[in-house]
Amino acid sequence: MNKEQRPEPLDFFIWTVEDVGLWLEEINLGGYRQIFKENGVNGEYLEGMSMFTTEQILRFIRRCHMKWGDFITLCKELRRIKVACLKGEQKVRRPWWAPSCLSMVFLKVAKRNRQSRVVSLKLEP
């Protein structure tokens, strides 16, 4: 992704480490940008965090030297993105790795599969 272009929320599943860093700046957690980079935290890792056990969460917080409040902010922002994906509020884009000749096919499939991309989210009534 271009350094000047902020990452698209819908694409957070395929964010690079650099994209995660830009997003951290955007949500006022930029102080963790370097430590996340050193630990290789990318979009796939962020998505997997929703399935972490308590022990894994504590290990992540220690490894990244995070404050509890900052970890909660991180989780709330991830949830906000996932909810927007489920509701179809995010613009669907062709990812950088998909050939342009498949743009229309990708967009149709992505719109159809939006809900399957965020299976770990539990919506509250």
Side-chain angles (χ1 to χ4, degrees):
M1 189 161 279
N2 186 332
K3 295 276 185 207
E4 305 301 316
Q5 181 184 8
R6 56 178 255 228
E8 287 286 334
L10 179 62
D11 298 337
F12 91 93
F13 307 94
I14 58 170
W15 281 355
T16 64
V17 172
E18 290 77 22
D19 293 334
V20 171
L22 289 172
W23 177 69
L24 288 171
E25 295 284 345
E26 194 174 295
I27 63 170
N28 298 319
L29 294 177
Y32 297 105
R33 188 174 186 164
Q34 185 59 37
I35 194 81
F36 272 49
K37 185 176 183 176
E38 290 169 7
N39 284 287
V41 177
N42 59 14
E44 185 178 357
Y45 188 90
L46 290 176
E47 168 60 13
M49 284 177 62
S50 60
M51 304 300 283
F52 275 14
T53 63
T54 303
E55 182 180 324
Q56 289 171 315
I57 290 170
L58 292 173
R59 198 175 315 133
F60 174 80
I61 289 171
R62 272 194 304 265
R63 189 175 55 224
C64 293
H65 310 287
M66 286 191 91
K67 296 176 184 173
W68 272 106
D70 291 343
F71 180 75
I72 291 169
T73 298
L74 179 79
C75 292
K76 283 181 180 177
E77 289 296 322
L78 279 172
R79 185 177 190 284
R80 185 181 58 76
I81 290 172
K82 289 180 179 184
V83 168
C85 290
L86 276 176
K87 290 181 177 178
E89 295 172 354
Q90 297 294 338
K91 177 182 166 195
V92 178
R93 289 189 316 122
R94 177 181 60 87
W96 60 269
W97 45 264
S100 58
C101 62
L102 296 178
S103 289
M104 291 307 296
V105 172
F106 174 80
L107 293 178
K108 286 179 184 176
V109 171
K111 285 180 182 176
R112 214 173 330 120
N113 289 333
R114 246 177 230 245
Q115 292 184 341
S116 65
R117 296 178 75 188
V118 270
V119 292
S120 60
L121 176 68
K122 294 181 181 174
L123 290 176
E124 299 169 355

